[in-house]
Each structure stands twice: as C-alpha cells, then as structure tokens.
Amino acid sequence: MIGGAGSLEVEPGVVLADAEDRLHATLDGVGLPREYAAAVRGHRDALNVLRVSNRRWTYFSPAEDIAPGTRTGRFRIGEDQPVRDAEGRSRVSAEDAAVALVDEAELPRFVQRRFTIGY
C-alpha cells in the first residue's frame, strides 16, 4: 500500500499525524492546504489497520516532500522515521519513489512492515 509521510515518527512514539503544529507546518512547507490533515490522519489509520490484520502487506511512506524531479536511483531507505537530507528536509522525487516501489515489488524486504525513502 502507498500511504503518506504523516504516519512517520517525528520523535520517539509520536507520529506526524498526531503532532498538529508540526503537521500544519509540514503541510504549509510543501504547499498543501491544512485541510489535507484529515487525509494524513486517514493514512495513519490505514497503516494501523494493516498492522493488526492477518493480511500480507507492505506500506510505503514516501518522504514529506515528494514531487516530480530527476530519477537518480540514489536514495536512502528508512522504516519508521523520515529520511532527512543534510538540511533536515524529508524529500524525494516521484521518479525515485517509483524506483523504490518497483525494487520492493521485485525483491520484497519489508513484508509486514512499512518503509520510507529520502535523500
């Protein structure tokens, strides 16, 4: 399943979807309306449903800032916390996100887990 970055931990035990001020700042920073917070919380809830299900699943949380760009094939992989660059930004191109998804489909490494990517 492709979800969102809102279910990633911004500090131990706290996900972005539950930290309203940080969530609004993130939405503002990537140019999304604050009303999008409801969708962010929905993705968090979907991940929680998967975690208690008896289904085989993998959940992909892209970086906080995902946008069309360049396919580099060079990104870092994480699990429950955003992958941030040297400036503290969680970002990735849509093209590299697609590469990560195809890689996971071809060689599953995150069965029954979530993963994320970033630069």
Side-chain angles (χ1 to χ4, degrees):
M1 177 175 187
I2 301 172
S7 62
L8 294 168
E9 292 183 344
V10 291
E11 57 187 69
V14 178
V15 299
L16 181 60
D18 296 330
E20 191 162 335
D21 290 341
R22 289 176 87 162
L23 174 56
H24 287 166
T26 299
L27 292 173
D28 294 346
V30 297
L32 292 171
R34 288 186 175 188
E35 291 79 16
Y36 194 73
V40 172
R41 291 184 187 102
H43 283 282
R44 175 212 50 211
D45 294 345
L47 174 59
N48 290 335
V49 167
L50 289 173
R51 285 179 167 156
V52 297
S53 77
N54 63 354
R55 302 289 182 202
R56 187 170 189 252
W57 59 272
T58 298
Y59 190 96
F60 175 58
S61 289
E64 293 169 356
D65 186 358
I66 179 172
T70 302
R71 176 182 170 186
T72 68
R74 298 174 59 191
F75 47 83
R76 294 178 294 138
I77 298 174
E79 292 188 35
D80 292 319
Q81 295 81 28
V83 175
R84 299 193 181 278
D85 63 17
E87 289 81 40
R89 296 176 300 173
S90 169
R91 63 183 185 86
V92 73
S93 71
E95 291 81 355
D96 278 337
V99 169
L101 286 168
V102 170
D103 288 351
E104 180 61 21
E106 290 180 341
L107 182 62
R109 295 185 298 165
F110 296 97
V111 176
Q112 304 304 109
R113 296 186 298 158
R114 171 249 303 281
F115 75 103
T116 186
I117 65 170
Y119 298 124

